[in-house]
Amino acid sequence: FHKVPVREIEYPLKDKKMIFPDSLVDIARENIAKYASAKEIQDKIVNRADYWLGFDHEALSNIITSAEVPRAFDLSTSGCPVHGDTIFTVAGTYPWIVDPNCRSNVR
């Protein structure tokens, strides 16, 4: 691998919401207060987020690979270099596990 040059930041850091406007957030909050099914969805999302809150900044930073590692969005058609095409039957088409506690590519 070659050394990746240091880059200058070209754009300002994010400082506001970009995806959901306040009006949609308000509707979601109203639905959570009104409908049990919406509250169940919220609880599932919060429970998943709580898992990630258990990690410190360093642990989360360590799961991001260096820019020196070549990128791809999926595995090769022959599968994993270690597990072969078994990876697809165990974990589907995009079998990546992004978890600081996980030590294996196969579940």
Side-chain angles (χ1 to χ4, degrees), residues 30-65:
E30 290 170 12
N31 287 339
I32 289 165
K34 192 185 302 184
Y35 303 109
S37 59
K39 176 73 171 126
E40 288 176 27
I41 292 169
Q42 178 200 32
D43 291 345
K44 287 179 184 178
I45 292 169
V46 169
N47 285 337
R48 287 181 181 170
D50 283 344
Y51 176 79
W52 293 99
L53 290 173
F55 296 100
D56 63 21
H57 178 76
E58 183 178 357
L60 294 174
S61 294
N62 286 338
I63 64 174
I64 301 171
T65 58

Side-chain angles (χ1 to χ4, degrees), residues 80-94:
C80 172
V82 175
H83 305 101
D85 64 358
T86 303
I87 192 76
F88 298 124
T89 60
V90 173
T93 307
Y94 303 102

Side-chain angles (χ1 to χ4, degrees), residues 6-107:
V6 176
R7 296 182 296 173
E8 295 293 322
I9 297 174
E10 294 181 45
Y11 304 100
L13 297 176
K14 180 180 166 186
D15 63 357
K16 63 183 175 183
K17 290 187 234 176
M18 302 296 287
I19 298 175
F20 298 108
D22 289 337
S23 59
L24 290 180
V25 173
D26 291 342
I27 292 170
R29 288 184 175 142
E30 290 170 12
N31 287 339
I32 289 165
K34 192 185 302 184
Y35 303 109
S37 59
K39 176 73 171 126
E40 288 176 27
I41 292 169
Q42 178 200 32
D43 291 345
K44 287 179 184 178
I45 292 169
V46 169
N47 285 337
R48 287 181 181 170
D50 283 344
Y51 176 79
W52 293 99
L53 290 173
F55 296 100
D56 63 21
H57 178 76
E58 183 178 357
L60 294 174
S61 294
N62 286 338
I63 64 174
I64 301 171
T65 58
S66 147
E68 295 173 337
V69 176
R71 301 294 198 252
F73 68 93
D74 62 0
L75 292 175
S76 73
T77 54
S78 58
C80 172
V82 175
H83 305 101
D85 64 358
T86 303
I87 192 76
F88 298 124
T89 60
V90 173
T93 307
Y94 303 102
W96 307 114
I97 298 172
V98 179
D99 185 338
N101 288 328
C102 185
R103 300 288 180 236
S104 172
N105 289 337
V106 178
R107 297 176 196 175

